[in-house]
Amino acid sequence: MINSAIDSRWFRRHAAADGTATQRLVCLPHAGGAASTFHSWGGGLGDGVELLAARYPGRQERLGEPSPGSMTELADAVTEALLAFTDLPLSLFGHSMGACLAYEVACRLEGVHGVRPEGLYVSGALAPHRFAGKAKAAYLGGDQAVLEEVRRLGGTEAGLLSDPDLFDLVMPSIRADFRVMGTYLPKTLAVHCPVVGYVGDQDPDVTPADMEAWADLAAGSFDLAVFPGDHFYLAGERDALLRDLARRLA
C-alpha cells in the first residue's frame, strides 16, 4: 500500500499494480505538460512500482503558485521534494524538458545527497552537452515564437492553445517552461546509474543518433530504444513504452 505518511504537493502518486511499493518511478513532464500526462500510466509498470508524477507549480492543482524561473530553481525544488521518498529505490523518467530536468535531479541526488538513482530514462531530448539554441530562440522570440514551436511539435497543449477560453489558462505555464529551457545552462557531469534513451523515429528535432549522445554522460551502461512516432510518440506507443520500462524496472 502507499505510505500515507509521505505526502508532497510536488507529486501525484499512483499505486503499484499489486498495491505494494518496493520501488518508485518519478515521471517529469515536458514543457507545458503536467502530472496528468502520466495519468494513464498508473498501475502499468508492474508489481512493486509506484509512480510519482511531478506537479510543477503554475498549473492544475498548483495553478495559483508562481512557475519556476529557471532550471536550477526547478531542479533544486524537485530534488528537495524527492528526499522524502528515498526510503525506496527510485528511478527517473523525463520527456523533452522533463528529460533535462531528470538529468539535473539525478546529478543533485547523487552528487549532493549521496542518493544514486536506480536508472535515468530520458526521452525526446538532446543531451545537455549537445543542447541547441532552439528553445532559447523561441523564448527570446516572445509568445508568437513559443506558440509556433508548440504547434510545430504538436501534443495536447497545441490543441488547448487553439481554444480561446483555455489560452489564458495554459499559456502562462508554457511561457514559463520555455523560459526555463531558454535560459538553461547545462551541466556536463556523468551519472553513475544506467541511462536509457527513448525517441520517436519521426521526431522533427531529435534523432536516434542525437539520443545516443546521452551515452557520453553515462558512467555506466547506456541503451537506446526507438519507437514509431514523432516528438510525442509516447502517446501512441504508450503500451509498448510501459512494457519496456516495466522490463527494465523488474
Side-chain angles (χ1 to χ4, degrees), residues 74-85:
L74 181 56
D76 286 348
V78 171
T79 303
E80 186 66 27
L82 271 180
L83 295 179
F85 294 91

Side-chain angles (χ1 to χ4, degrees), residues 61-75:
E61 300 98 329
R62 305 183 68 183
L63 187 61
E65 300 179 42
S67 297
S70 68
M71 179 65 79
T72 296
E73 179 184 345
L74 181 56

Side-chain angles (χ1 to χ4, degrees), residues 42-62:
L45 293 165
D47 291 347
V49 184
E50 179 183 318
L51 187 150
L52 304 181
R55 301 193 283 202
Y56 301 152
R59 66 212 74 189
Q60 294 189 339
E61 300 98 329
R62 305 183 68 183

Side-chain angles (χ1 to χ4, degrees), residues 25-31 37-38 41 52 54 56 91-103 119-125 196-199 211 214 231 233-234 241 245:
L25 178 67
V26 183
C27 293
L28 303 166
H30 57 281
T37 300
F38 301 103
W41 289 28
L52 304 181
Y56 301 152
S91 301
L92 301 162
F93 175 94
H95 179 65
S96 199
M97 180 185 85
C100 297
L101 176 58
Y103 165 74
L120 174 62
Y121 302 96
V122 290
S123 170
V196 180
Y198 293 98
V199 69
M211 289 302 300
W214 282 93
H231 189 63
Y233 75 90
L234 62 175
L241 175 58
L245 283 167

